[in-house]
Amino acid sequence: MSSSPMRRAHVPMSGAELALRLLAAFRGLVDDLHAELAGRGHAEARPLHGFALQAVGPTGATAVELGERLGVSKQAAGKTIDALEERGYVRRDADPADARRKIVTVTPRGHELLALSAEIFERLRARRAQQVGDAMPAFEAALRTLAPDVAIGLDSPGWFGR
Amino acid sequence: MSSSPMRRAHVPMSGAELALRLLAAFRGLVDDLHAELAGRGHAEARPLHGFALQAVGPTGATAVELGERLGVSKQAAGKTIDALEERGYVRRDADPADARRKIVTVTPRGHELLALSAEIFERLRARRAQQVGDAMPAFEAALRTLAPDVAIGLDSPGWFGR
DNA sequence: ACGGTATGGACAACGTAGTTGTCGATTATA
DNA sequence: TATAATCGACAACTACGTTGTCCATACCGT
């Protein structure tokens, strides 16, 4: 046979397969994360919440700011804040310097969710890196080329599924 | 410096970054596809439609079958079929052999959408392969490892966005 | 100082896509 | 033949997005 030992020729993907597998890989990560989170006291956390919480950041944010960071309307951001507040992940306080604004801050429980998510995500990534093996750096480098912007627009309902 | 010429050390991704970028890469592909499709007579096609249409297949399917293939309830499949039918991509015919069943088949316009989508998807993938360069085969091989199932569950509203 | 404009938040109505539950009609089976 | 399973449709609901409207407050130019 050929010179290199038992290496199969790479069968290129179709464009549709590429898209589907990117989605499937994302879904796998997110589904695994939330399966874990559910077992660790955060069953009511939806996938969107972690990302939104991260976008609130350590200094807090208003609904308008959050909307900008997430790439959604201020109304959508407001609804997300409602959900986060109901679940105890953020708090809304009046801005003493501007009576129009309400400042959203992450609560201790919110920080807990964030820390837990980061920890679980790291384990999930490590598992995948192990499966992929040597090619992981090349994979990530290529993925950075394909998706240069980290700050993705979260518009379009339900990106995160159940 | 090091022995290899100007090669930067790879900075590993965080798990969250990995997830976000997978989603962003998918989104980029799908958004580009539909921008093209819109300019080619298929402005009303939603991202879900292409995948559903493909799942109907050449032999046709019932709502229950389509639901199974897509990983959603038969009711959800029924609604998708409604949307596809409204836009002229599929037809519903009574099954002569079983009065309960209605067989969904792809119309010529549906086949046109499918062919056009495949063609555009190929171009989009080619562009990305060019950007990624030599690492593309490794990237796709790794992606196959990360997402072994092509038949992804399309549950959870709005995966495809606007 | 004041009136016009801009900003921030809330509310409502609506769109899309999913879910579960129910039901009638039809087919399969014991 | 009576009972059970299957298929499609309808309804009510959830989640998350959108636009449009409105009010209160803040900023700014004359």
Side-chain angles (χ1 to χ4, degrees):
Chain A
M1 304 304 179
S2 108
S3 56
S4 52
M6 286 288 112
R7 196 160 86 257
R8 259 229 245 250
H10 169 70
V11 179
M13 286 187 185
S14 73
E17 184 188 344
L18 178 59
L20 247 353
R21 287 202 200 264
L22 286 168
L23 178 57
F26 167 76
R27 267 296 293 250
L29 276 172
V30 170
D31 287 355
D32 287 0
L33 170 70
H34 283 271
E36 272 256 5
L37 282 178
R40 298 248 237 140
H42 292 274
E44 4 77 86
R46 314 262 98 239
L48 169 66
H49 297 160
F51 293 95
L53 216 46
Q54 207 143 20
V56 171
T59 58
T62 65
V64 169
E65 281 162 6
L66 186 60
E68 278 161 7
R69 291 178 201 173
L70 256 26
V72 301
S73 64
K74 62 173 179 175
Q75 290 89 338
K79 288 191 197 181
T80 300
I81 295 168
D82 289 344
L84 253 21
E85 198 179 24
E86 273 170 35
R87 291 165 173 79
Y89 293 131
V90 299
R91 232 183 29 208
R92 251 191 269 236
D93 299 290
D95 183 342
D98 186 338
R100 291 171 306 179
R101 311 173 55 150
K102 286 190 186 160
I103 307 201
V104 178
T105 27
V106 179
T107 62
R109 180 166 165 78
H111 282 114
E112 185 195 290
L113 177 64
L114 244 19
L116 208 48
S117 295
E119 180 199 317
I120 296 167
F121 253 145
E122 283 327 297
R123 268 210 305 284
L124 295 175
R125 182 191 164 280
R127 192 158 76 211
R128 277 144 180 89
Q130 202 187 332
Q131 287 164 356
V132 168
D134 289 346
M136 195 68 184
F139 176 78
E140 293 188 338
L143 185 56
R144 283 206 175 101
T145 305
L146 254 42
D149 298 324
V150 225
I152 182 190
L154 268 348
D155 54 341
S156 85
W159 274 113
F160 297 101
R162 51 103 169 300
Chain B
M1 309 300 182
S2 108
S3 55
S4 52
M6 284 289 110
R7 196 160 85 254
R8 257 231 243 252
H10 169 71
V11 180
M13 287 187 185
S14 73
E17 183 188 345
L18 178 60
L20 248 352
R21 286 204 200 262
L22 286 167
L23 178 57
F26 167 76
R27 268 295 295 249
L29 236 20
V30 170
D31 286 355
D32 287 0
L33 169 70
H34 283 270
E36 273 257 4
L37 281 178
R40 299 249 238 138
H42 293 275
E44 4 77 87
R46 313 263 98 239
L48 170 66
H49 297 159
F51 293 95
L53 215 47
Q54 206 143 21
V56 170
T59 58
T62 65
V64 169
E65 282 161 6
L66 187 59
E68 278 161 5
R69 290 178 203 173
L70 257 27
V72 301
S73 65
K74 61 173 181 173
Q75 290 89 338
K79 288 191 197 181
T80 301
I81 295 167
D82 289 345
L84 253 19
E85 197 179 26
E86 272 169 36
R87 290 164 172 80
Y89 294 131
V90 299
R91 233 184 29 208
R92 251 190 268 236
D93 300 289
D95 183 341
D98 186 337
R100 290 170 308 180
R101 305 169 48 119
K102 284 190 188 162
I103 307 200
V104 178
T105 27
V106 180
T107 62
R109 180 166 165 77
H111 282 114
E112 185 195 291
L113 176 64
L114 245 19
L116 207 48
S117 295
E119 181 200 317
I120 296 168
F121 254 146
E122 283 329 298
R123 269 210 305 284
L124 295 176
R125 181 190 164 281
R127 192 158 75 209
R128 277 144 180 89
Q130 201 188 331
Q131 288 165 353
V132 168
D134 289 347
M136 194 68 184
F139 176 78
E140 293 188 336
L143 186 55
R144 283 206 174 101
T145 304
L146 254 43
D149 298 325
V150 224
I152 181 190
L154 271 346
D155 53 342
S156 83
W159 273 112
F160 296 102
R162 52 106 171 295

